[in-house]
Amino acid sequence: MDRLSNTVRPYAWGSTTAIPALLGTAPTGEPQAEMWMGAHPGAPSRIARPKSTTDAANNTAQTERPLTEVIAADPEGELGAATVTRFGPRLPFLLKLLAAGSPLSLQVHPDLDQARKGYADEEARGIPIDAPHRTYKDANHKPELICALTPFDGLCGFRRPTEAADAMEALGVDSLKPYVDLLRAHPEEAALREVLTAILGADPAEMADTVAEAAAACERLGGAHAPYARIAHNYPGDPGVLAAMLLNYVQLQPGEALFLGAGVPHAYLDGLGVEIMANSDNVLRCGLTPKHIDVPELLRIVRFEATEPGVLRPEASPSGEERYETPVDEFALSRYTLASGAAPAELTAPTPQILLCTAGTVRVGELDLTPGQSVYVPAAEAVEATGSGTLFRATVAA
């Protein structure tokens, strides 16, 4: 196994304190939004491993190598034959620490078929992969799971149109009345589709005025409207403020999680969590961002159905593993709460793993991990954990 050196991404919405507090380091004053653990080509983790058995035998000084390079050199040895057969010669998941200090963009992810077709279409049309109007960066889907380490606020899925209508009507903003009427006059799917289409297609100047009035009313009313006032403070005049009012507001407690499948609009607002996702960059945005919004494609991808935000709690097993059950193949996330003097937790698996400590001190093999530290374990390598603390385990679903 190998200790990971990981990159922290400084996105503007990131908390300046949450990740430093977990790591026990001093804040820099700059946002620290995400710490990536895995083999994403944009910021792969690094490990100190010799390039060859000769280097190891000669005790050649080890330099850090990207995990992408290590896997590419021996995919089956690192990932296991079954993982390579299912997903190709790449680690199929990415693990993150995510620290939101302000709201992220409203977004949705395509399913696998949509991603493959969308990517092939943009490739055929010759749209550069780094073009700001490019929608599909790869041919993969991006289901994801966020597990709260602190109280964590977010938006997840459409709420009942009548509930959204009540929330908008309570603001007393005349220019919102057409949306309120639409939400009450149509079946659920048609109501949600028409209102989101109208919000994203409205005149920007008129919409900015409407959002400003709505934000002032949310600030005045407080209570259930307070999250939208906070969103509007960070994104003044953005139509995504009104789109956010169509979604369920969710508050997670530590240990609780949300699964975000294809077509489900969502946004994270505040808090620190462990996030795992399929290794993809495909995001379609629908507000709270200065980036390109592909409205026609977005409307094709979004699932316009009201849903209850399914809060997940881990399911315990006799081995002590607490697993978050999700309907995807690329990843599985579980948690171990270890106690001093207890029997070691047996973690050996036929698939690659990343183990992340989030509390206490955990010993994994010969390595001691403190909060925020992680290790990569190749497929089938024997490993067990002891100590007193919390350990998250990310691997490929069985």
Side-chain angles (χ1 to χ4, degrees), residues 36 40-42 135 137-138 140-142 278-283:
W36 289 18
H40 189 288
T135 299
K137 307 295 186 182
D138 53 65
N140 200 18
H141 63 165
K142 192 184 177 185
N279 213 341
S280 170
D281 289 324
N282 286 327
V283 174

Side-chain angles (χ1 to χ4, degrees), residues 64-134:
E64 288 190 336
R65 302 167 59 197
L67 187 55
T68 44
E69 176 186 300
V70 172
I71 291 172
D74 183 12
E76 288 200 3
E78 298 295 333
L79 306 177
T83 297
V84 173
T85 298
R86 293 167 72 191
F87 304 108
R90 62 186 183 88
L91 188 67
F93 64 84
L94 176 65
L95 186 68
K96 300 180 181 179
L97 280 173
L98 184 147
S102 60
L104 283 67
S105 63
L106 277 174
Q107 55 188 256
V108 67
H109 306 304
D111 64 27
L112 190 55
D113 184 61
Q114 291 165 339
R116 288 171 174 169
K117 290 178 178 177
Y119 179 78
D121 173 66
E122 291 188 320
E123 286 289 282
R125 288 189 284 139
I127 301 175
I129 200 71
D130 58 351
H133 63 288
R134 174 93 185 212

Side-chain angles (χ1 to χ4, degrees), residues 190-366:
L192 294 168
R193 179 181 291 274
E194 288 191 39
V195 172
L196 184 62
T197 302
I199 288 171
L200 296 180
D203 176 83
E206 293 180 3
M207 179 56 68
D209 291 339
T210 296
V211 172
E213 288 187 62
C218 287
E219 184 75 36
R220 183 177 65 253
L221 291 172
H225 289 85
Y228 308 107
R230 188 167 83 248
I231 293 169
H233 175 76
N234 286 277
Y235 298 96
D238 192 305
V241 175
L242 300 183
M245 297 188 73
L246 302 176
L247 307 185
N248 295 296
Y249 173 61
V250 186
Q251 292 181 295
L252 300 179
Q253 296 305 310
E256 294 180 333
L258 279 177
F259 173 73
L260 290 311
V264 178
H266 61 278
Y268 303 143
L269 304 181
D270 183 72
L272 176 67
V274 173
E275 185 181 41
I276 189 169
M277 61 183 61
N279 213 341
S280 170
D281 289 324
N282 286 327
V283 174
L284 287 90
R285 295 174 176 84
C286 42
L288 309 183
T289 179
K291 295 183 179 180
H292 175 66
I293 297 178
D294 184 344
V295 176
E297 186 68 6
L298 174 70
L299 296 176
R300 193 177 73 83
I301 296 300
V302 171
R303 293 183 179 176
F304 289 98
E305 56 184 16
T307 59
E308 293 293 327
V311 176
L312 299 178
R313 296 171 181 84
E315 298 184 11
S317 69
S319 68
E321 182 180 27
E322 299 176 302
R323 189 179 177 102
Y324 295 89
E325 296 294 341
T326 60
V328 296
D329 296 330
E330 285 84 353
F331 64 76
L333 185 72
S334 57
R335 182 182 67 175
Y336 289 83
T337 302
L338 304 172
S340 296
E346 173 57 51
L347 303 177
T348 305
T351 54
Q353 304 180 71
I354 293 177
L355 306 175
L356 167 68
C357 176
T358 60
T361 300
V362 176
R363 189 167 182 80
V364 179
E366 300 300 317

Side-chain angles (χ1 to χ4, degrees), residues 27-44:
T28 64
E30 298 298 318
Q32 298 187 39
E34 296 180 348
M35 187 174 78
W36 289 18
M37 292 160 279
H40 189 288

